[in-house]
Every structure is written in C-alpha cells, then in structure tokens.
C-alpha cells in the first residue's frame, strides 16, 4: 500500500524511482492524503475527497459517453479505479462529479495512463 500525504499549500506530483527513469504515479492536491491499495498500483485510479454533506457520483467522460466510476459518500474519501476501456493510449478524458441535489462539476481534459494515480477534491459549496 502506498500512502501519500501532502501538507503543502500546492499540489504535489508523486514519482517512483523505476530503474533508469522515474515513473509518474500522479498528483495529490494540497492538504490531502491519498491511499493507493497494493492491487491498484498498476491500474489508473482516482482518489476523491468529498467534504460535502451529500454523496457525489463520479464519472469519466472519454468521448461521447460517460462511464460511472462510483459514488463517494458524504464527508469521506474513496479511491476509484478507471476501467481499462477508458484508459487508452493517446486519448484524453474528463472527470466530472454529480453532487446529490447540485450541479455537475467537471475537470479539464486529462491524459490518464495505466499505473497513474490522480486525486480530486470536490470543492465545498
């Protein structure tokens, strides 16, 4: 298991020394802890921090359709896995969350590769 704690006021990019080059694992937002289970180290994952008092449903949008990644309960943090069908070479996707009873929130286009670990903090209201 890999636990990353970022106590800085800015996001941190996490790398692992992988032989003669470094492998990018992902980014951890400011003031957040991301926990990546051992069986997910080679899959693309997204740790979602939901400080809101309502659950949020998380989707990946790799093109013209949406793929539901899962639901993050109110005031909790959960690591979700991207299906292999949306993590394709030379492609981008957008992540968006649907807070219960609120408008959708969307990321910019992201390039996600197998083994990358991203983190997302849902903004409080």
């Amino acid at each position: 298991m890999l636990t990353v704690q970022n106590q800085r006021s800015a996001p941190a990019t996490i790398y692992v020394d992988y032989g003669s080059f470094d492998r990018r694992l992902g980014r951890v937002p400011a003031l957040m802890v991301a926990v990546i289970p051992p069986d997910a180290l080679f899959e693309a994952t997204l740790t979602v921090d939901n400080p809101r008092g309502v659950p949020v449903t998380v989707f990946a949008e790799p093109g013209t359709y949406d793929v539901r990644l899962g639901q993050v309960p109110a005031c909790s943090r959960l690591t979700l896995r991207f299906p292999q069908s949306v993590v394709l070479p030379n492609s981008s996707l957008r992540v968006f969350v649907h807070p219960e009873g609120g408008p959708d929130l969307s990321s910019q286009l992201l390039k996600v590769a197998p083994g990358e670990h991203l983190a997302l903090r849902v903004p409080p209201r």
Side-chain angles (χ1 to χ4, degrees):
M1 181 173 306
L2 174 67
T3 303
V4 179
Q5 182 171 352
N6 181 9
Q7 295 181 335
R8 297 172 30 174
S9 61
T13 303
I14 309 303
Y15 295 89
V16 63
D17 185 3
Y18 198 71
S20 59
F21 61 93
D22 293 339
R23 180 178 177 161
R24 181 182 183 271
L25 290 181
R27 291 176 56 84
V28 177
L31 306 171
M32 184 175 166
V33 175
V35 178
I36 301 159
D39 59 332
L41 284 176
F42 299 104
E43 295 182 23
T45 62
L46 174 69
T47 300
V48 179
D49 182 19
N50 179 17
R52 293 188 178 202
V54 297
V56 297
T57 305
V58 182
F59 297 89
E61 186 179 64
T64 57
Y65 61 93
D66 303 333
V67 176
R68 185 180 186 276
L69 300 179
Q71 188 174 62
V72 181
C75 302
S76 65
R77 180 176 301 129
L78 188 63
T79 297
L80 306 170
R81 295 178 185 182
F82 287 101
Q84 291 179 347
S85 61
V86 301
V87 181
L88 301 171
N90 302 316
S91 66
S92 299
L93 60 84
R94 192 177 309 273
V95 172
F96 70 93
V97 297
H98 176 75
E100 189 174 283
D104 289 349
L105 305 166
S106 177
S107 74
Q108 60 189 353
L109 280 175
L110 304 168
K111 289 197 179 277
V112 181
E116 286 194 322
H117 308 286
L118 307 175
L120 170 77
R121 176 176 285 135
V122 178
R125 287 202 180 239

